[in-house]
Amino acid sequence: MGETTTILPVERSYEFRRRLVTVHQPDRRDPAARLQAGELAIGAGWSIVLAANADPLLLNVARDLQDYFLVSMGESLLVRREADLSAVARAADRVIVLATRADMPDCAVQAMEPRSYRLVAGPGRVVVCGADGRGAAQGSYYLEDLMNVRDAPFLPSMDVVRSPLFSPRMTHSGWGLDEYPDAYLNQIAHAGMDSILVFVTGVDRTPDERTHDRAAGGPVGRYRDMNDLVDRAAAFGLDVYFYAYFRTDDLPHPGADGAEDAYDRVYGAVFAACPRAKGIVLVGESVEFPSKDPHTTGRNYLTPTPDGLPATKPAPGWWPCTDYPEWIDLVKRVVRRHSPAAEIVFWTYNWGYAPEEDRLALIRSLPTDITLHVTFEMFEPLARDGG
């Protein structure tokens, strides 16, 4: 039997962006779907209710859910504020209540971790009570998932508590290099992410793919209002992590005289300008420094060798250097001088090929008040189809 070849339609450049920002698919409702035993139908006369003092995140979530019902299910729901959400929920008068445990302590599970939520659905009411606003948001998105599975605004009766498996769960932009329009941020939040990554080459600067040339003197960069990005991401329950992409070939060894001031002018400066960023991700190839580890060249990988011949050792970005702990401690110090709660994420994948004993020795010597990001199954041969 011959194979069938599918010819995909030709698209204009960047036409995929339309799909990226279509959070709610139009007309998902199946007119043939019928209410089953134990289910409740949401439609005419229902309201989405939130606290009178609900913050901008929950107001965004309520509007988003309202849009979902209108666009995907063809139902118009009113959004309103109420002072006593517990009373509203008890009345069970066709309401979807979006709350936090601060709004409804009688409904919340107090031991819930951040971004968790309790979902209660029964006749005349649906209550989403998050450990925090981000938990309530995830509960609202889960409601959408459940109704999408049914292709109808029907929900089973339930009382469940759901929690994230891990955090942070971050992503780069699929829209464009370090570009995050609001609709795409909303899509990222619906996918269950809690953070976004943005390359930084300096204060309010990200790389420009048109002028980016590290060999010609480092990332040129383009302007990006980082504080605006942090504000807009927060409105969708997302944190912002900086991915360090500075020009580093002129920074000194962390033990050198004047190193702290030099690193503060680079690493510290971005947090002095944007202290509400969640943290910074440090990847070997992007944060090289003049290591004294004898296994390395001690130079940035773009720096020519003295004799002009190919290097016989890896550059510091590709080896678990013994002085990385000293370097991380310095970066941590200058960053937290401006943002005490900033998370320092150290990513080790660049030296996944190095001997295990060297990699473990580095891990054991790292500061304990940072986050270690270990990429599993890199540099390991994996058999596929018997090969």
Side-chain angles (χ1 to χ4, degrees):
M1 181 180 294
E3 295 183 358
T4 301
T5 301
T6 301
I7 306 294
L8 297 177
V10 176
E11 291 189 351
R12 291 182 295 104
S13 296
Y14 299 101
E15 193 169 344
F16 70 92
R17 285 177 167 174
R18 290 184 177 179
R19 294 189 292 276
L20 283 183
V21 297
T22 303
V23 181
H24 301 137
Q25 298 296 325
D27 304 320
R28 293 193 66 138
R29 187 168 185 171
D30 178 3
R34 294 293 178 265
L35 198 66
Q36 298 177 357
E39 289 186 325
L40 62 147
I42 300 173
W46 280 68
S47 299
I48 300 167
V49 185
L50 63 162
N53 62 346
D55 64 16
L57 169 57
L58 269 183
L59 184 57
N60 254 1
V61 173
R63 289 169 173 166
D64 175 85
L65 188 59
Q66 181 186 46
D67 183 76
Y68 168 79
F69 276 105
L70 181 64
V71 172
S72 294
M73 294 296 158
E75 298 288 353
S76 297
L77 274 65
L78 177 71
V79 173
R80 71 176 199 264
R81 298 175 184 263
E82 294 286 350
D84 188 344
L85 295 186
S86 295
V88 171
R90 284 193 299 271
D93 186 18
R94 294 177 295 175
V95 292
I96 300 174
V97 178
L98 300 179
T100 67
R101 61 180 157 201
D103 302 322
M104 295 184 67
D106 56 326
C107 182
V109 178
Q110 294 302 316
M112 284 194 299
E113 60 185 282
R115 297 184 72 244
S116 300
Y117 58 88
R118 182 184 179 192
L119 171 59
V120 181
R125 68 167 185 165
V126 177
V127 178
V128 178
C129 188
D132 46 26
R134 295 183 177 194
Q138 291 301 314
S140 181
Y141 307 150
Y142 183 55
L143 286 180
E144 295 180 17
D145 292 341
L146 292 172
M147 289 182 281
N148 286 341
V149 170
R150 285 289 281 119
D151 289 325
F154 303 157
L155 287 173
S157 296
M158 66 177 73
D159 186 344
V160 297
V161 175
R162 305 184 85 233
S163 299
L165 294 177
F166 61 90
S167 181
R169 186 182 177 202
M170 59 181 73
T171 181
H172 282 291
S173 175
W175 171 271
L177 185 64
D178 300 315
E179 295 185 13
Y180 292 97
D182 284 358
Y184 183 49
L185 289 171
N186 194 22
Q187 185 78 275
I188 290 171
H190 275 68
M193 304 291 177
D194 63 10
S195 311
I196 60 173
L197 277 164
V198 57
F199 287 105
V200 288
T201 59
V203 173
D204 285 335
R205 291 284 166 181
T206 63
D208 188 328
E209 65 272 15
R210 294 166 297 178
T211 59
H212 175 68
D213 186 356
R214 297 181 72 172
V220 177
R222 54 183 167 171
Y223 177 76
R224 181 78 62 197
D225 187 337
M226 297 299 185
N227 285 292
D228 172 70
L229 179 58
V230 169
D231 287 340
R232 291 190 298 106
F236 296 97
L238 300 168
D239 291 319
V240 175
Y241 283 83
F242 293 150
Y243 182 113
Y245 208 60
F246 308 111
R247 176 178 175 177
T248 57
D249 52 336
D250 56 354
L251 284 176
H253 186 274
D257 290 343
E260 186 146 343
D261 289 341
Y263 279 75
D264 190 42
R265 287 192 295 270
V266 176
Y267 288 88
V270 294
F271 282 88
C274 186
R276 290 176 296 112
K278 181 69 172 179
I280 188 166
V281 178
L282 309 169
V283 182
E285 65 191 79
S286 304
V287 297
E288 287 191 289
F289 69 104
S291 172
K292 295 181 180 180
D293 191 311
H295 293 93
T296 75
T297 62
R299 300 184 302 273
N300 184 291
Y301 80 102
L302 292 174
T303 304
T305 58
D307 56 13
L309 297 175
T312 58
K313 297 178 181 180
W318 281 265
W319 186 263
C321 303
T322 54
D323 41 4
Y324 261 116
E326 184 181 6
W327 178 87
I328 291 171
D329 199 59
L330 175 56
V331 170
K332 177 188 69 177
R333 212 160 51 241
V334 300
V335 165
R336 290 181 177 163
R337 177 181 301 162
H338 307 285
S339 180
E343 185 178 357
I344 312 297
V345 182
F346 187 50
W347 197 350
T348 65
Y349 83 90
N350 271 114
W351 41 84
Y353 65 86
E356 182 177 329
E357 60 269 22
D358 295 288
R359 289 183 281 130
L360 289 177
L362 171 60
I363 289 172
R364 290 168 181 146
S365 61
L366 291 173
T368 57
D369 57 347
I370 67 165
T371 298
L372 179 65
H373 184 174
V374 178
T375 304
F376 292 95
E377 294 184 345
M378 279 194 71
F379 303 93
E380 297 178 21
L382 300 176
R384 291 288 184 272
D385 299 325

